């Protein structure tokens, strides 16, 4: 069951302004994992694809840390250890924070929520998907010489492939090879950009600085294949939890599906 | 020798507001071609790749029509017939216009100019290419089922491939197969988006309405291959005349290379 929850963190003393917030949040998260189980922390650290996303922002004194978990086993022990560790204070860089509030439902905060895989499978089919990219988003692909190539553009294929890849990885019922190949072809060639407005900005993602884009896009699937529309619907729901593209554990690729477009 | 020149057209009477300016400009252009030689007009009309671009805009009473020619044989007869036909009036839709001025040099207008292929070949090499997309730009590719796919995003590969394709088609000394394959690979994988800011808008291109993007992008070529930097330099110069992407004979894909970035 994918979860998204927020920690409202208040400084234990002073008025800290953490400089490398995404890196500190990452460090805190692994500290918490180690407190659950050092072996688990090591396994997750070594995974190429991380089963969580983190995004932190400072609002006056408060740091709002949004955590999403894609791995079903992660949410409950994580919440437990957060509450335990909070007594001694949670560190962001050199500064100690207390958990003022945990917001884990959409009633508590619109960026929080959870959904069962069963509910996600029955998401309403979509022919049009409007996404807002709240934090800088970038896609990583491999060049033929093995080097990494970064694409800070909302290319429909890369957006949907990123989501599909998360779905395949975490869903208990991933698409089989045949369906997967069919979806890949549609995402490659048949999704149209109906509307788009983006700009790039530089982003400190841990120790590296990358160019990502923020803004919004509306993708349109002009054909009528029920299976594709169903997949787009599911992936749109998943996006809230998985984010899109690279460096989502450092706050990049935070997206929201726009349900009632004001565009 | 690629040419770019502007016709300042003033209405023979009244205050017309041509509704389908790109389509009317297209019609006028073929009228002029037929006046040069009906056979030539037919040949050009049947060409999939048109050896000209047209972009028209209305400034109060005046229509400013920018014409670029890529085919060496086109400029002189075209200019001659424009001056001849202007006596009887040039039609944009139902309305008649006179040629108030022809601006054919950069001194007369920054959007006018010409360059010999020899000068273009010796364009300074570039590792960074900053482009402004003045009119909506879209790329057309073929889907595997033969249908057209439109991409209104500034994908580096599509920008450079569009320019390279124009270069190959019109330059007296195109790249040979080996160099072409090398450039194609670099354009596919090695150009990076350094900065980008775009938004889409709908555009009436002749009889069809398409989504294109305007805005700006800076592309960066991080490697040091002299031949690639030379090609990027040449294609940047060509862009002023060829435009980029689809429907350039209807005013789409008008770009300018930014030499001194204010970004």
């Amino acid at each position: 069951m994918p979860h998204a929850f927020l920690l409202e963190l208040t400084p234990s003393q002073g008025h800290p302004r953490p400089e490398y917030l995404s890196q500190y949040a990452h460090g805190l998260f692994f500290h918490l994992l180690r407190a659950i189980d050092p072996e688990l922390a090591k396994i997750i650290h070594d995974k190429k694809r991380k089963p969580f996303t983190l995004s932190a922002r400072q609002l006056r004194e408060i740091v709002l840390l949004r955590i999403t978990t894609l791995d079903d086993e992660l949410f409950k022990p994580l919440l437990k250890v957060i509450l335990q560790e909070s007594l001694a204070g949670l560190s962001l860089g050199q500064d100690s924070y207390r958990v003022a509030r945990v917001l884990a439902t959409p009633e508590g905060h619109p960026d929080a929520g959870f959904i069962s895989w069963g509910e996600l499978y029955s998401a309403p089919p979509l022919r049009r998907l409007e996404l807002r990219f709240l934090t800088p988003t970038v896609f990583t692909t491999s060049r033929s010489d093995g080097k990494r190539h970064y694409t800070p553009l909302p290319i429909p294929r890369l957006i949907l492939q990123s989501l599909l890849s998360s779905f395949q990885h975490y869903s208990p019922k991933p698409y089989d090879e045949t369906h997967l190949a069919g979806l890949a072809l549609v995402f490659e060639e048949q999704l149209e950009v109906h509307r788009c407005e983006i700009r790039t900005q530089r982003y400190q993602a841990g120790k590296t600085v990358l160019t990502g884009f923020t803004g919004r896009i509306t993708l349109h699937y002009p054909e009528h294949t029920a299976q594709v529309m169903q997949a787009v619907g599911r992936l749109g729901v998943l996006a809230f939890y998985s984010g899109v593209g690279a460096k989502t554990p450092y706050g990049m690729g935070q997206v929201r599906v726009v349900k009632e477009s004001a565009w």
Side-chain angles (χ1 to χ4, degrees), chain A:
Chain A
M1 183 181 285
H3 278 272
F5 62 102
L6 293 98
L7 303 182
E8 200 180 290
L9 302 172
T10 51
S12 303
Q13 57 176 12
H15 311 282
R17 291 263 155 202
E19 198 177 353
Y20 300 108
L21 200 48
S22 76
Q23 196 173 334
Y24 297 160
H26 204 82
L28 169 61
F29 188 80
F30 274 98
H31 166 79
L32 294 170
L33 288 185
R34 279 190 300 272
I36 300 173
D37 176 0
E39 187 56 29
L40 174 73
K42 194 183 173 319
I43 291 170
I44 291 182
H45 189 269
D46 293 346
K47 278 189 183 182
K48 211 179 150 192
R49 173 186 292 278
K50 305 285 190 285
F52 65 90
T53 79
L54 291 179
S55 75
R57 59 201 166 106
Q58 176 124 23
L59 300 165
R60 277 173 255 122
E61 294 295 281
I62 295 163
V63 169
L64 206 58
L65 175 60
R66 183 177 189 259
I67 301 174
T68 72
T69 57
L70 296 161
D71 190 317
D72 286 356
E73 306 304 311
L74 211 50
F75 175 68
K76 277 182 194 166
L78 193 57
L79 205 58
K80 191 175 158 201
V81 85
I82 285 168
L83 299 175
Q84 282 167 1
E85 295 279 312
S86 173
L87 299 173
L90 301 180
S91 298
L92 287 175
Q94 302 295 322
D95 302 300
S96 177
Y97 286 79
R98 278 175 305 188
V99 179
R101 291 201 291 172
V102 178
L103 305 160
T105 64
E107 292 74 27
H109 196 285
D111 288 341
F114 52 88
I115 191 165
S116 71
W117 287 106
E119 286 172 301
L120 192 143
Y121 296 147
S122 6
L126 288 178
R127 284 184 65 193
R128 180 172 290 208
L129 182 64
E130 183 173 332
L131 292 170
R132 285 188 60 208
F133 296 88
L134 301 182
T135 60
T137 302
V138 67
F139 299 97
T140 318
T141 47
S142 287
R143 286 166 37 165
S144 49
D145 60 6
K147 289 187 187 164
R148 275 188 202 164
H149 188 245
Y150 294 97
T151 305
L153 292 174
I155 298 174
R157 168 176 57 89
L158 297 177
I159 297 171
L160 272 293
Q161 276 177 357
S162 168
L163 293 169
L164 182 58
S165 167
S166 290
F167 183 87
Q168 290 300 100
H169 206 83
Y170 297 110
S171 158
K173 283 192 279 178
Y175 289 103
D176 64 30
E177 286 298 318
T178 314
H179 288 141
L180 198 60
L183 288 174
L185 184 68
V186 168
F187 294 167
E188 172 80 33
E189 306 197 313
Q190 292 178 29
L191 292 183
E192 288 173 6
V193 175
H194 178 72
R195 206 161 173 176
C196 177
E197 188 176 328
I198 59 118
R199 60 169 63 208
T200 56
Q201 67 185 74
R202 302 285 280 168
Y203 183 85
Q204 177 90 35
K207 285 172 191 160
T208 51
V209 177
L210 293 173
T211 298
F213 66 91
T214 55
R216 50 189 182 168
I217 195 168
T218 309
L219 302 177
H220 178 64
Y221 171 60
E223 327 280 324
H224 284 80
T225 327
Q227 210 207 5
V228 175
M229 293 194 289
Q230 188 187 60
V232 174
R234 290 171 175 181
L235 298 179
V237 173
L238 183 62
F240 181 78
Y241 303 94
S242 64
V244 166
K247 299 282 180 190
T248 48
Y250 287 98
M252 296 189 84
Q254 285 266 319
V255 296
R256 298 293 179 272
V257 171
V258 180
K259 275 168 191 158
E260 310 217 344
S261 179
W263 234 3

